[in-house]
């Protein structure tokens, strides 16, 4: 078993190889043993994904009803229900995200070229053919193709995409460098120790693969269905028993009982939620937020905790100079000399920071005076330059404080204390010395990765929306605390190790420092197990598992492809302020879905109770099974327009409370049942035939359903805000069409116009009456 602590000698023995590399035959044999140096992927066919839409509890109920109605010869009912089933499946399939391709992108990340020593010769091969025991050569700009132990020389490695460290690190002989890191300086030969999923990078991939977001929408729908079906089953059983007692033909009762059960199922609820979230996704895309998993919009409304990766997300992932400490001369001269010992084309983050600071301070640099420049070399840990100044040759060195102090032999009195102070504050420190005959330390330059300008505003807005911000970083605790203080985040620092197995403790932390990829993933899981709905932001491969695990995973604009594929939302603008808009959009969509859900539950309870109780009272069905199926079209699918409604957003996270939904709906539905019996009495008193009563009751149920939408869409009075034009227009068209078919007897028995007008007028008046009751009920159940 390979261990990180193994020496080179131990590894050569364990892997049965040498500095001469493997033979071609041995490499082929090991390829069969270890497999390709790539990430295995699990794909699901589109056909299977589509078929799964018809393997849900809602689908089972509809499919069973189709079979029974077909056997009983109710072919029209069977076809209509079949249409409902297919319509719902197609809408869900076409609207849902198909961007679940993180593993595929990870595989592509590995499919590069590598220089490998085989049969005593250097060859260039695809990285997927590398095996443990291979000897590879790495140089500037290479992406490390596997986990590798350095055999000779030193490298400067950028592993920010993997570990979250904002600064590059130096690795020397005997050190391990990880797959997907980037060589920033130097060259070396290395021994391949792990490949594919066994690499540090591959383990991150496995976390991406196993990470799965829980679907709160599915949970909600199932809870609602269970409660409604439980109520309806009791009523249907009572209906059948009473029918047998009254001698009613059972072949007429069973289809009607099944239709009542169908009416209790929120058939259009999944499709409505999908449409509402799709429209929300479209709105968010116009604001620079690309939604790749629709259910994340609903989760954004419920999110109460947002975990944010520090490097490149909260901070700029770009070194910046803090106020330098000057020992000789002034700050401008210090920066001038440091600039001569720097150059842009080196692509060194420290050089870039110094030159940017020189531009900011308007320091003039005449590179014509520089006669020699030596770029940073990991072996000497410094850059050097020689300039001509006032007819003299001046040598400048810039590098690690201890290295520069050894070169000068004489340090300022406060030098050591200054170094300790800056280090304690989490800064990276560069010293600068210059001289003609003897070097003199001019000063020290502290560098750090500063917060983005909008980070503090983001923290403030999140708190105003009752979302707890949490910063997660691979940097040390000192840097983490410094950044947290700058952006206005509480400095409740925690160690990721402390929350493993102690999920409750995660809720008390606002900063996690020195974390690794798996730590981020487990932090998110720990918060979820503590009852939180969690958001996660990030930009690197190291963030991918946590991004996928979180209910609301957000990849920033500069994120790697892997991070974007793992996230549920991808930002296209720099910064994080668009997240706030995403939260607000999610909460608006929640209000729309709450309106639809309340309306549906209220109508279900009204219909099943009224149709059942009225049968007990008058001894006949007050409407037909076909009318109930038609009612689903007239109400459920028309009221999908709620997905476009004009609504505000809450200042607190939204959580679905099924018990409150059901309880409040039962109370309001009870008043609608009373309204329904008033209509039945009017129809009987007016001498309408049974077939005409069917139409009269059908009209009442349709119109009442439309007006109920406008009653429940507002937490205050129904007239407090204007609905969307689409919603209003859909209701008007629905009322006109139902009035038209009722008057002319299309699909239903014709009734006089006055009864249609009575139905419209009375249902509207009843809605105004119930609006007052609704306010009391909603306040009590906190809806």
């Amino acid at each position: 078993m390979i261990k990180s602590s193994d020496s080179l000698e131990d590894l050569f023995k364990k892997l049965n190889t040498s500095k001469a590399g493997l033979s071609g035959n041995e490499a082929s044999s090991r390829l069969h043993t270890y497999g390709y140096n790539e990430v295995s992927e699990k794909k699901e066919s589109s056909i299977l994904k589509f078929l799964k839409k018809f393997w849900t509890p809602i689908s089972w109920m509809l499919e069973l009803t189709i079979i029974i109605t077909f056997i009983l010869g109710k072919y029209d009912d069977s076809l209509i229900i079949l249409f409902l089933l297919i319509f719902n499946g197609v809408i869900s399939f076409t609207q849902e995200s198909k961007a679940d391709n993180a593993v595929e992108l990870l595989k592509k990340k590995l499919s590069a070229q590598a220089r490998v020593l085989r049969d005593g010769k250097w060859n260039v091969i695809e990285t997927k053919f590398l095996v443990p025991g291979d000897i590879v050569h790495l140089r500037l700009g290479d992406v490390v193709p596997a986990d590798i132990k350095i055999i000779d020389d030193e490298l400067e490695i950028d592993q920010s995409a993997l570990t979250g460290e904002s600064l590059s690190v130096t690795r020397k002989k005997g050190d391990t460098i990880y797959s997907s890191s980037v060589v920033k300086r130097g060259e070396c030969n290395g021994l391949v120790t792990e490949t594919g999923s066994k690499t540090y990078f591959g383990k991150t991939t496995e976390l991406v693969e196993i990470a799965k977001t829980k679907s709160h929408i599915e949970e909600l729908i199932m809870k609602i269905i269970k409660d409604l079906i439980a109520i309806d089953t009791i009523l249907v059983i009572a209906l059948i028993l009473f029918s047998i007692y009254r001698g009613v033909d059972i072949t007429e009762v069973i289809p009607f009982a099944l239709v009542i059960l169908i009416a209790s199922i929120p058939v259009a609820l999944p499709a409505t939620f999908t449409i509402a979230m799709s429209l929300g996704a479209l709105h968010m895309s116009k604001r620079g937020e690309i939604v790749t998993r629709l259910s994340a919009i609903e989760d954004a409304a419920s999110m109460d905790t947002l975990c944010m990766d520090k490097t490149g997300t909260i901070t700029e992932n770009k070194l910046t100079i803090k106020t330098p400490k000057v020992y000789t001369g002034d700050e401008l001269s210090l920066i001038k000399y440091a600039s001569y010992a720097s150059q842009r084309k080196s692509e060194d983050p420290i050089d870039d920071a110094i030159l940017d600071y020189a531009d900011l301070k308007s320091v003039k640099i005449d590179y014509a005076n520089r006669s020699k420049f030596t770029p940073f070399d990991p072996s000497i840990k410094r850059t050097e330059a020689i300039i001509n100044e006032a007819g003299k040759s001046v040598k400048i060195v810039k590098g690690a404080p201890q290295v520069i102090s050894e070169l000068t032999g004489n340090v300022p009195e406060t030098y050591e204390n200054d170094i300790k102070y800056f280090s304690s504050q989490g800064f990276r420190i560069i010293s600068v010395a210059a001289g003609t005959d003897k070097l003199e330390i001019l000063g020290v330059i502290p560098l750090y990765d500063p917060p983005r300008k909008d980070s503090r505003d983001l923290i403030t807005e999140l708190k105003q929306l009752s979302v707890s911000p949490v910063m997660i970083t691979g940097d040390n605790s000192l840097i983490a605390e410094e950044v947290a203080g700058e952006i206005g985040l509480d400095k409740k620092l925690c160690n990721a190790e402390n929350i493993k197995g102690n999920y409750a403790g995660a809720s008390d932390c606002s900063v996690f420092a020195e974390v690794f990829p798996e730590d981020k993933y487990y932090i998110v899981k720990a918060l979820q197990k503590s009852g939180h709905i969690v958001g996660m932001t990030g930009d690197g491969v190291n963030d991918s598992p946590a991004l996928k695990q979180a209910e609301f995973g957000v990849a920033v604009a500069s994120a790697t492809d892997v991070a974007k594929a793992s996230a549920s939302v991808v930002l296209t603008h720099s910064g994080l302020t668009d997240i706030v808009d995403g939260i607000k959009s999610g909460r608006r969509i929640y209000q729309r879905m709450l309106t639809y859900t309340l309306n549906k539950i209220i109508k279900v309870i009204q219909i099943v109770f009224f149709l059942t109780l009225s049968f007990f009272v008058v001894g006949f069905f007050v409407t037909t099974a076909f009318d109930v199926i038609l009612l689903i079209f007239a109400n459920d699918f028309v009221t999908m327009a709620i997905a476009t409604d004009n609504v505000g957003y809450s200042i607190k996270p939204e959580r679905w409370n099924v018990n409150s939904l059901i309880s409040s709906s039962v109370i309001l539905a009870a008043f609608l049942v009373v309204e329904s019996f008033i209509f039945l009495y009017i129809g009987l008193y007016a001498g309408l035939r049974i077939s005409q009563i069917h139409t009269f009751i059908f009209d009442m149920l349709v119109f009442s359903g439309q007006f109920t939408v406008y009653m429940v869409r507002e937490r205050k009075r129904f007239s407090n805000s204007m609905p969307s034009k689409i919603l209003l227009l859909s209701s008007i068209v629905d009322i006109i069409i139902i009035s038209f078919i009722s008057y002319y007897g299309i699909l239903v028995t014709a009734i006089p116009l006055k009864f249609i007008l009575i139905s419209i007028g009375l249902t509207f008046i009843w809605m105004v009456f119930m609006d007052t009751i609704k306010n009391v009920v909603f306040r009590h159940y906190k809806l």
Side-chain angles (χ1 to χ4, degrees), residues 719-739:
S719 57
N720 190 63
S721 66
M722 280 295 294
S724 68
K725 292 180 181 179
I726 295 177
L727 176 58
L728 193 60
L729 181 62
S730 66
S731 294
I732 293 172
V733 171
D734 189 42
I735 291 173
I736 291 173
I737 291 174
I738 296 303
S739 300

Side-chain angles (χ1 to χ4, degrees), residues 396-410:
I396 305 169
V397 292
K398 169 175 66 70
Q402 65 274 18
V403 172
I404 302 303
S405 63
E406 289 173 1
L407 290 174
T408 61
N410 183 29

Side-chain angles (χ1 to χ4, degrees), residues 4-145:
S4 59
S5 59
D6 287 338
S7 66
L8 274 170
E9 291 74 17
D10 291 337
L11 288 173
F12 278 122
K13 289 179 182 178
K14 285 185 177 182
L15 295 172
N16 192 23
T17 188
S18 69
K19 292 183 179 180
L22 301 173
S23 67
N25 291 335
E26 177 62 21
S28 297
S29 174
R30 294 191 183 194
L31 195 61
H32 288 294
T33 303
Y34 294 103
Y36 289 116
N37 179 34
E38 62 184 8
V39 180
S40 60
E41 56 184 328
K42 295 180 180 178
K43 289 186 177 180
E44 187 176 35
S45 71
S46 297
I47 294 175
L48 186 58
K49 287 180 181 178
F50 179 70
L51 292 177
K52 281 186 176 180
K53 300 299 177 186
F54 304 99
W55 191 252
T56 64
I58 292 179
S59 301
W60 297 337
M61 289 294 297
L62 293 174
E63 288 154 6
L64 177 62
T65 306
I66 291 169
I67 294 171
I68 294 176
T69 52
F70 185 82
I71 292 173
L72 295 174
K74 306 286 184 178
Y75 303 122
D76 290 343
D77 292 355
S78 297
L79 288 174
I80 291 173
I81 299 169
L82 178 63
F83 173 81
L84 293 177
L85 177 66
I86 296 175
F87 179 83
N88 194 62
V90 169
I91 288 291
S92 298
F93 178 76
T94 54
Q95 294 286 352
E96 284 179 354
S97 170
K98 305 296 186 307
D100 208 6
N101 57 350
V103 175
E104 182 178 351
L105 285 172
L106 285 167
K107 179 181 176 182
K108 290 179 180 178
K109 186 88 172 183
L110 286 175
S111 61
Q113 302 287 317
R115 290 171 292 278
V116 61
L117 188 60
R118 295 267 179 90
D119 295 317
K121 297 180 181 180
W122 289 102
N123 300 287
V124 177
I125 65 171
E126 287 188 46
T127 58
K128 74 174 186 178
F129 295 116
L130 289 177
V131 294
D134 267 329
I135 303 298
V136 297
H137 183 73
L138 298 172
R139 60 191 182 191
L140 176 66
D142 284 350
V143 175
V144 180

Side-chain angles (χ1 to χ4, degrees), residues 207-222:
L207 285 177
V208 174
E209 195 170 71
I210 64 174
K212 185 178 181 182
T213 306
K214 199 174 183 181
S215 175
H216 298 282
I217 288 288
E218 290 179 6
E219 284 187 355
L220 167 70
I221 294 173
M222 286 312 303

Side-chain angles (χ1 to χ4, degrees), residues 448-738:
Y448 78 120
D449 182 15
R452 299 181 61 88
K453 294 179 181 178
D454 56 3
S455 292
R456 176 175 280 274
D457 292 338
L458 171 68
I459 298 300
T460 300
E461 288 190 274
L462 288 173
K463 290 179 178 179
Q464 289 173 348
L465 291 169
S466 302
V467 175
S468 301
V470 176
M471 185 174 76
I472 302 178
T473 177
D475 287 328
N476 64 56
S477 57
L478 294 171
I479 295 176
E481 286 188 330
E482 173 75 15
V483 173
E486 288 192 40
I487 62 176
L489 191 63
D490 298 330
K491 297 183 181 180
K492 296 178 182 176
L493 189 68
C494 293
N495 189 308
E497 287 294 324
N498 296 338
I499 59 93
K500 290 184 179 179
N502 178 29
Y503 300 126
S507 301
D508 301 326
C509 307
S510 57
V511 179
F512 287 94
E514 301 177 29
V515 302
F516 289 100
E518 59 269 23
D519 294 327
K520 296 182 182 183
Y521 169 74
Y522 289 119
I523 287 169
V524 171
K525 287 199 72 174
L527 287 166
Q528 289 171 333
K529 287 183 178 291
S530 298
H532 295 283
I533 305 298
V534 183
M536 174 73 194
T537 72
D539 66 338
V541 175
N542 64 308
D543 304 315
S544 300
L547 286 172
K548 190 172 182 183
Q549 178 64 32
E551 284 90 349
F552 190 64
V554 181
V556 298
S558 59
T560 62
D561 286 343
V562 177
K564 289 178 180 179
S566 301
S568 46
V569 175
V570 178
L571 304 182
T572 59
H573 299 152
S574 60
L576 293 173
T577 51
D578 285 339
I579 291 178
V580 174
D581 181 68
I583 295 171
K584 293 176 180 178
S585 294
R587 293 183 184 180
R588 288 189 184 98
I589 291 168
Y590 170 89
Q591 291 296 328
R592 294 172 184 136
M593 293 190 291
L594 178 63
T595 298
Y596 184 90
T597 305
L598 277 167
N599 178 67
K600 177 60 182 176
I601 297 174
I602 290 170
K603 296 309 297 181
V604 164
I605 296 173
Q606 175 198 10
I607 291 168
V608 296
F609 269 89
F610 171 61
L611 296 183
T612 305
L613 295 176
S614 62
F615 181 71
F616 296 158
V617 173
V618 299
F620 62 87
F621 295 119
V622 297
T623 192
T624 67
F626 180 81
D627 289 343
V628 176
I629 295 293
L630 191 59
L631 178 64
I632 294 175
F633 279 97
N635 270 356
D636 285 22
F637 287 100
V638 169
T639 51
M640 277 184 174
I642 291 172
T644 68
D645 196 18
N646 295 323
V647 293
Y649 61 86
S650 169
I651 60 171
K652 292 185 178 180
E654 303 280 16
R655 291 290 185 96
W656 290 100
N657 188 327
V658 176
N659 291 334
S660 293
L661 285 173
I662 298 293
S663 299
S664 58
S665 297
V666 167
I667 295 172
L668 295 176
F671 286 91
L672 291 177
V673 171
V674 172
E675 175 193 35
S676 302
F677 272 104
I678 291 174
F679 270 83
L680 178 57
Y681 174 78
I682 292 173
L684 291 172
Y685 181 81
L688 294 177
R689 302 190 310 274
I690 291 179
S691 61
Q692 289 178 313
I693 288 177
H694 289 166
T695 302
F696 188 51
I697 295 299
F698 167 73
D699 286 1
M700 177 274 298
L701 293 174
V702 172
F703 301 149
S704 174
Q706 288 300 311
F707 290 132
T708 300
V709 170
Y710 296 92
M711 176 185 67
V712 299
R713 65 174 291 275
E714 261 292 343
R715 305 289 85 86
K716 300 177 182 178
R717 300 295 297 186
F718 79 93
S719 57
N720 190 63
S721 66
M722 280 295 294
S724 68
K725 292 180 181 179
I726 295 177
L727 176 58
L728 193 60
L729 181 62
S730 66
S731 294
I732 293 172
V733 171
D734 189 42
I735 291 173
I736 291 173
I737 291 174
I738 296 303

Side-chain angles (χ1 to χ4, degrees), residues 284-505:
M284 291 172 67
S285 69
K286 294 176 181 178
R287 305 271 305 206
E289 306 152 86
I290 307 301
V291 178
T292 62
R293 179 174 59 80
L294 288 181
S295 61
I297 297 176
E298 185 266 340
D299 292 327
S302 305
M303 181 179 68
D304 56 29
T305 303
L306 179 64
C307 297
M308 296 173 287
D309 180 57
K310 181 188 79 69
T311 305
T313 305
I314 291 177
T315 63
E316 296 180 354
N317 197 17
K318 179 182 178 182
L319 287 178
T320 298
I321 293 176
K322 202 75 170 176
T323 304
K325 174 70 175 180
V326 181
Y327 302 117
T328 300
D330 56 24
E331 181 181 310
L332 295 183
S333 63
L334 171 65
I335 297 302
K336 182 182 73 172
Y337 283 118
S339 298
Y340 275 121
S342 306
Q343 67 177 6
R344 290 283 187 193
K345 66 181 182 180
S346 297
E347 296 185 357
D348 185 304
I350 293 175
D351 285 7
D352 288 342
I354 289 171
L355 294 173
D356 287 343
Y357 194 76
D359 291 340
L360 180 67
K361 295 293 184 177
S362 300
V363 176
K364 303 297 183 181
I365 313 295
D366 185 2
Y367 286 106
N369 294 328
R370 187 170 69 182
S371 58
K372 184 180 179 180
F373 175 74
T374 304
F376 181 81
D377 187 338
S379 62
I380 61 174
K381 294 183 172 60
R382 65 180 183 271
T383 60
E384 295 182 357
I386 295 177
I387 65 171
N388 298 315
E389 189 175 59
K392 295 182 180 180
S393 180
V394 178
K395 182 179 181 180
I396 305 169
V397 292
K398 169 175 66 70
Q402 65 274 18
V403 172
I404 302 303
S405 63
E406 289 173 1
L407 290 174
T408 61
N410 183 29
V411 299
E413 183 179 347
T414 62
Y415 186 74
E416 296 296 335
N417 288 334
D418 291 335
I419 299 302
K420 289 180 181 178
Y421 170 75
F422 284 128
S423 297
S424 69
Q425 297 300 306
F427 293 105
R428 184 168 182 175
I429 311 156
I430 295 297
S431 294
V432 180
T436 53
D437 299 322
K438 185 179 180 180
L439 293 174
E440 180 182 6
I441 297 178
L442 305 180
V444 293
I445 300 175
L447 302 107
Y448 78 120
D449 182 15
R452 299 181 61 88
K453 294 179 181 178
D454 56 3
S455 292
R456 176 175 280 274
D457 292 338
L458 171 68
I459 298 300
T460 300
E461 288 190 274
L462 288 173
K463 290 179 178 179
Q464 289 173 348
L465 291 169
S466 302
V467 175
S468 301
V470 176
M471 185 174 76
I472 302 178
T473 177
D475 287 328
N476 64 56
S477 57
L478 294 171
I479 295 176
E481 286 188 330
E482 173 75 15
V483 173
E486 288 192 40
I487 62 176
L489 191 63
D490 298 330
K491 297 183 181 180
K492 296 178 182 176
L493 189 68
C494 293
N495 189 308
E497 287 294 324
N498 296 338
I499 59 93
K500 290 184 179 179
N502 178 29
Y503 300 126

